[in-house]
C-alpha cells in the first residue's frame, strides 16, 4: 500500500513518521497524479491557493472512485472533507468537524502565510482557528479577562490572514503596553496549535488504516449522485 500526505505548514516542526510519503501542499491535479502513480491512501492537509488552482473536488471523487482512501484535516483538507464527506472522504479532527457542523464557514479561518519548501514551509502568520483556541484557553484559565479576549479576537478577525502575526495582534489593542507584553508571553507559552494537532491525527489515522477498497464494489455502494458527478467530469 502506498500512503501519501500533502502537507506543509500544518506539520512544521513535526517529525515525519515511517510508512507515509509526505508531499508538499497540493495544487489542482496532484491528487489525480498520486492515484495514477499508485497511491492507495491519500491525506490532504495543506493545499495551495491564490497563486495557482486549488485541489478540485472532482479529483477527490476520482480518487474515491478508484478505491483510494482519502482523508482530510486541518486546512485545505478540512475544507474539502466538509464538502466531500458524503461521498466517502474521511474528515479527521475538530476543524473538519466544525466545518461540517457549520461552526466554521470561512476558508480564511485556516489560511496563513508561510515560507517555501527550502524552509520547511515555516508559518509566518497565525491561522484564526489557532488564535481563537489560544484566546479561549487563556480566558478559561483566568489569564485574561473576557473583555481582553473579545478585543483580541476582534483584532484577529479583522486582520487579513497574510498579516495576522503576533506583532499585529499585540500592537492594536487598547490596554496598557505592559499588560500587552504579559499577555503576549502567555499566548506564546500556551498557544494551541489546532491545525497541527489535527494534521497529526490524520497521520495516525492513515498509519492504522489498512483498508483498501475495491473501486467497483465501493462505487456500487454509493449514491447515483456521485456516479453522475463523475460522469460529468
Amino acid at each position: 500500500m502506498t500512503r501519501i500526505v500533502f502537507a506543509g505548514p500544518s506539520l512544521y516542526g513535526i517529525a515525519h513518521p515511517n510508512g507515509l510519503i509526505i508531499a508538499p501542499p497540493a495544487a489542482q491535479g496532484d491528487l489525480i497524479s498520486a492515484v495514477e502513480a499508485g497511491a492507495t491512501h491519500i491525506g490532504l492537509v495543506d493545499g495551495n491557493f491564490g497563486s495557482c488552482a486549488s485541489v478540485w473536488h472532482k479529483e477527490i471523487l476520482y480518487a474515491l472512485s478508484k478505491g483510494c482512501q482519502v482523508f482530510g484535516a486541518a486546512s485545505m483538507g478540512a475544507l474539502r472533507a466538509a464538502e466531500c464527506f458524503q461521498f466517502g472522504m474521511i474528515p479527521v479532527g475538530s476543524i473538519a468537524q466544525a466545518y461540517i457542523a457549520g461552526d466554521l464557514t470561512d476558508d480564511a479561518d485556516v489560511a496563513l502565510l508561510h515560507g517555501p519548501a527550502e524552509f520547511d514551509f515555516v508559518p509566518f502568520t497565525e491561522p484564526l482557528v489557532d488564535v481563537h483556541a489560544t484566546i479561549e484557553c487563556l480566558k478559561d484559565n483566568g489569564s485574561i479577562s473576557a473583555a481582553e479576549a473579545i478585543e483580541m479576537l476582534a483584532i484577529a478577525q479583522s486582520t487579513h490572514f497574510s498579516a495576522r502575526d503576533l506583532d499585529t495582534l499585540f500592537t492594536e489593542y487598547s490596554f496598557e503596553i505592559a499588560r500587552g507584553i504579559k499577555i503576549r508571553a502567555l499566548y506564546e507559552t500556551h498557544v494551541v496549535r489546532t491545525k497541527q494537532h489535527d494534521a497529526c491525527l490524520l497521520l495516525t489515522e492513515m498509519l492504522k488504516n489498512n483498508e483498501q477498497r475495491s473501486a467497483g464494489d465501493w462505487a456500487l455502494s454509493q449514491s447515483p449522485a456521485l456516479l453522475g458527478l463523475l460522469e460529468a467530469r
Side-chain angles (χ1 to χ4, degrees):
M1 292 186 181
T2 301
R3 297 175 170 90
I4 183 168
V5 179
F6 293 94
S10 294
L11 285 180
Y12 178 73
I14 301 297
H16 297 168
N18 294 327
L20 298 174
I21 299 170
I22 307 298
Q28 189 174 105
D30 285 344
L31 269 65
I32 291 177
S33 297
V35 172
E36 293 179 346
T40 57
H41 298 69
I42 294 175
L44 178 60
V45 175
D46 294 311
N48 293 312
F49 63 96
S51 60
C52 64
S54 59
V55 173
W56 197 27
H57 305 79
K58 286 189 177 180
E59 63 186 296
I60 295 171
L61 302 183
Y62 173 78
L64 292 169
S65 75
K66 295 299 183 181
C68 185
Q69 294 269 307
V70 184
F71 302 75
S75 195
M76 180 67 74
L79 295 170
R80 293 295 180 262
E83 294 157 344
C84 297
F85 78 96
Q86 292 177 315
F87 301 119
M89 188 173 180
I90 301 170
V92 180
S94 62
I95 297 173
Q97 293 299 330
Y99 276 112
I100 290 172
D103 297 328
L104 291 176
T105 58
D106 194 337
D107 293 6
D109 289 348
V110 292
L112 53 74
L113 192 67
H114 61 80
E118 292 79 6
F119 294 96
D120 201 22
F121 304 103
V122 56
F124 292 148
T125 58
E126 296 285 299
L128 190 58
V129 289
D130 287 3
V131 175
H132 188 276
T134 304
I135 289 174
E136 286 298 310
C137 174
L138 294 176
K139 184 181 71 173
D140 290 345
N141 67 23
S143 296
I144 62 175
S145 68
E148 289 170 333
I150 290 171
E151 181 173 356
M152 290 176 62
L153 188 56
I155 293 170
Q157 290 173 328
S158 64
T159 304
H160 192 265
F161 77 86
S162 63
R164 193 188 299 118
D165 57 18
L166 294 187
D167 287 339
T168 299
L169 291 176
F170 292 98
T171 55
E172 297 188 8
Y173 54 80
S174 63
F175 31 96
E176 295 180 354
I177 293 176
R179 179 59 177 162
I181 293 173
K182 181 175 181 179
I183 294 177
R184 177 167 181 164
L186 289 168
Y187 185 102
E188 293 175 330
T189 300
H190 299 282
V191 63
V192 180
R193 296 296 182 201
T194 310
K195 288 182 62 173
Q196 185 183 86
H197 177 267
D198 284 5
C200 289
L201 281 180
L202 181 141
L203 300 184
T204 300
E205 285 298 314
M206 289 189 66
L207 283 171
K208 74 181 185 182
N209 189 294
N210 292 314
E211 180 184 3
Q212 183 179 2
R213 294 177 290 189
S214 162
D217 291 343
W218 180 84
L220 289 173
S221 71
Q222 301 308 299
S223 68
L226 174 54
L227 300 180
L229 286 170
L230 289 168
E231 290 169 358
R233 183 173 172 265

